[in-house]
Amino acid sequence: MFALMHSTRLESLHLSVDPVTGLKAVIAIHSSRLGPALGGCRYLAYPDDESAVADAARLAQGMSYKAALAGLPVGGGNAVIIRPAHVESRAALFEAFGRCIEQLNGRYITAIDSGTSVADMDCIAQHTRFVTSTTAAGDPSPHAAMGVFAGIRTAAMARLGSDNLEGLRVAIQGLGNVGYALAEQLHAAGAELLVSDIDPGKVQLAMEQLGAHPIANDALLSTPCDILAPCGLGAVLNRQSVAQLRCAAVAGSASAQLTHLQVADQLEARGILYAPDYVINSGGLIYVALKHNGADLATITAHLSNIGTRLTEIFGHAQAEKRSPARVADELAERLLYAEPLLKRP
């Protein structure tokens, strides 16, 4: 566990249990250098406890990089609640988690993530004010989708020479809250949609409402397209899957898409442009961070434009240095997080 903390440069790791509700939770705080750690809370089943801890640590690191490059006054953290085989009361379980967050005295602020909902955040909010994505705060998913849409236009400009998405074939893997909202925006822009999801009902809805073409889950990555948009869970890009890709660029909302950084080099070698996930999907974090600090919607929407600007900067450096955008983004984020003295936020 300490080796994991060292490799990801975590500041602290917190494990919590509540036998009454069945709560088993991990809170990873990666960095509080730029502000209190803010990140999502996942509610998923894991094969073992070690996998849950590793997931929290990896996601927390990504949140730190995301906040730094988005120019937000927050640090990075993430939480996972290990979903039990049976839970007596989901509300009570999330209330117990709220008490765990309160004990950290503001060092970590939680938000919606895979497997959690606004209703879950409302339960957490009964016991701590260090939570966002509540009913009062609003769902960040539409803003996350707006940011990814802007990032796809930026990637199209960089790789295909135009940000006009009309007629472009975009393959979306995962039609959750963000993925479906992104599909709606792409459809409105005239893109041709290829979609897959483990829920056939979501695929059917996309077919009926957006004219999307259904693709089997195990075939989407090898389907020819202009842009691949991973919008499900992470770790979708590995040596084997990248070898199958038939796209010009990868630009999607999923977190931690790369199994390891060397995969980004493989993408670069194949001439596939990669939009670093924690840059392109930062719209949700921008929304929850600024909303938590009392910003109005106009301010939040204006800040979303920084996503395209930052990606353009990263793509430019990557092209000039003949390196993967993932490596360029990591170095820029680490410079902001670890350079002495603390750099002025962009």
Side-chain angles (χ1 to χ4, degrees):
M1 190 173 295
F2 285 108
L4 173 65
M5 293 182 68
H6 179 75
S7 65
T8 55
R9 302 178 78 165
L10 282 187
E11 283 184 7
S12 60
L13 190 63
H14 307 268
L15 308 180
S16 300
V17 296
D18 182 59
V20 175
T21 61
L23 175 72
K24 291 175 64 176
V26 181
I27 299 175
I29 295 177
H30 178 265
S31 173
S32 56
R33 187 146 197 245
L34 301 177
L38 191 156
C41 170
R42 291 193 163 185
Y43 182 56
L44 300 171
Y46 288 87
D48 49 59
D49 296 346
E50 291 74 16
S51 298
V53 172
D55 198 27
R58 178 172 52 92
L59 292 166
Q61 183 181 43
M63 293 301 290
S64 282
Y65 287 11
K66 184 185 300 189
L69 289 180
L72 295 171
V74 296
N78 213 89
V80 300
I81 297 175
I82 301 173
R83 191 178 68 203
H86 172 74
V87 60
E88 191 71 27
S89 170
R90 179 171 176 136
L93 184 143
F94 278 92
E95 287 180 27
F97 183 62
R99 292 190 290 271
C100 297
I101 294 173
E102 182 65 19
Q103 291 174 0
L104 294 177
N105 296 316
R107 292 188 60 214
Y108 170 68
I109 303 166
T110 201
I112 197 172
D113 203 335
S114 299
T116 56
S117 67
V118 170
D120 297 325
M121 299 302 111
D122 288 344
C123 291
I124 292 171
Q126 293 186 41
H127 297 277
T128 183
R129 67 186 185 279
F130 302 116
V131 58
T132 184
S133 308
T134 58
T135 299
D139 184 355
S141 299
H143 293 82
M146 288 172 60
V148 176
F149 178 78
I152 286 176
R153 291 187 60 187
T154 302
M157 173 62 79
R159 184 66 178 82
L160 302 173
S162 172
D163 64 357
N164 184 356
L165 303 182
E166 187 171 359
L168 255 64
R169 289 166 58 90
V170 182
I172 302 178
Q173 183 189 50
L175 293 170
N177 291 340
V178 178
Y180 200 89
L182 173 64
E184 291 177 320
Q185 294 180 45
L186 290 168
H187 173 68
E192 180 184 354
L193 301 179
L194 312 173
V195 300
S196 71
D197 193 279
I198 58 174
D199 182 348
K202 293 178 179 178
V203 173
Q204 184 65 34
L205 192 64
M207 292 168 59
E208 295 172 357
Q209 295 187 343
L210 309 175
H213 305 288
I215 305 292
N217 289 322
D218 58 358
L220 187 80
L221 295 182
S222 60
T223 299
C225 61
D226 296 299
I227 307 286
L228 171 66
C231 296
L233 296 178
V236 67
L237 299 176
N238 54 48
R239 290 191 181 280
Q240 291 72 35
S241 64
V242 167
Q244 301 176 40
L245 298 185
R246 302 172 67 186
C247 60
V250 176
S253 68
S255 297
Q257 294 173 25
L258 305 170
T259 52
H260 48 78
L261 194 54
Q262 288 73 22
V263 174
D265 300 328
Q266 185 183 358
L267 286 165
E268 181 72 10
R270 291 205 56 206
I272 299 172
L273 181 66
Y274 175 66
D277 48 50
Y278 57 80
V279 180
I280 192 172
N281 70 10
S282 61
L285 179 63
I286 290 170
Y287 178 83
V288 297
L290 297 183
K291 187 74 173 179
H292 192 73
N293 287 344
D296 58 26
L297 192 57
T299 300
I300 294 170
T301 301
H303 201 103
L304 288 173
S305 65
N306 293 341
I307 294 174
T309 303
R310 181 65 86 178
L311 279 173
T312 298
E313 175 191 6
I314 290 168
F315 291 154
H317 281 298
Q319 182 177 24
E321 299 165 15
K322 301 187 185 309
R323 294 194 300 151
S324 165
R327 292 192 179 274
V328 172
D330 281 2
E331 290 184 8
L332 287 174
E334 288 167 2
R335 202 176 301 160
L336 290 167
L337 287 170
Y338 304 120
E340 296 289 351
L342 183 63
L343 295 182
K344 182 180 179 181
R345 300 179 194 127

